[in-house]
Amino acid sequence: GAVVALAGPLGAGKTFLTRAIAEGLGIADPRVVTSPTFVLIQEYVGRLTIYHFDTYRLTKPDQFVELGPEEYFEGDGICVIEWADRVTQYLPTDRLEIEINYQGPTARTLALRAIGGRAKCVLTRFEERSRA
């Protein structure tokens, strides 16, 4: 039921980050993780299932609701949503937001923001492990 909302310009690395999350969750071959721009949602099974959404091609935020995201939000997997800033009003109140920005050809900055109790717990654990 964890939701990771990704934002950033085209080519910033949203799909690359999703691939890294998949690798961390034991997806057999993380190279299968590609941008679901044309199919809107992909599913990857590992230790936890990843539901990978891409809202880039939606012409109206309401189209996101037609995908039935609340079923995924309430499930046991992790929802990773690219271009989440386009559908913010339809995201759950408990989510981890990650904004990716360019700093150079091979450098990016990530701004992480936890909204809600579960997301705050995830962010705290991430920060603790990154210091270790």
Side-chain angles (χ1 to χ4, degrees):
V3 174
V4 179
L6 303 178
L10 192 64
K14 295 177 290 294
T15 302
F16 187 86
L17 179 57
T18 303
R19 191 173 296 126
I21 292 169
E23 186 173 357
L25 290 173
I27 303 299
D29 183 2
R31 293 173 298 179
V32 301
V33 176
T34 59
S35 179
T37 298
F38 294 101
V39 294
L40 304 177
I41 183 169
Q42 295 276 16
E43 186 174 319
Y44 307 106
V45 179
R47 230 176 36 248
L48 292 173
T49 301
I50 296 176
Y51 303 103
H52 184 196
F53 295 82
D54 190 325
T55 66
Y56 182 74
R57 293 221 176 262
L58 300 181
T59 56
K60 300 181 298 186
D62 294 350
Q63 292 173 311
F64 183 67
V65 175
E66 295 170 13
L67 297 174
E70 60 282 340
E71 293 177 36
Y72 297 97
F73 296 159
E74 296 168 5
D76 292 332
I78 296 175
C79 296
V80 178
I81 305 162
E82 293 192 32
W83 302 96
D85 49 324
R86 295 175 175 223
V87 294
T88 304
Q89 67 269 37
Y90 297 113
L91 298 179
T93 55
D94 195 326
R95 64 184 181 269
L96 178 62
E97 296 181 343
I98 302 176
E99 184 175 346
I100 305 171
N101 286 296
Y102 292 108
Q103 292 301 309
T106 59
R108 306 288 187 268
T109 58
L110 281 72
L112 288 79
R113 179 176 161 214
I115 300 172
R118 177 183 293 164
K120 288 179 183 176
C121 184
V122 169
L123 184 56
T124 298
R125 289 178 69 195
F126 174 77
E127 290 171 339
E128 289 169 355
R129 290 180 182 202
S130 66
R131 282 184 240 149

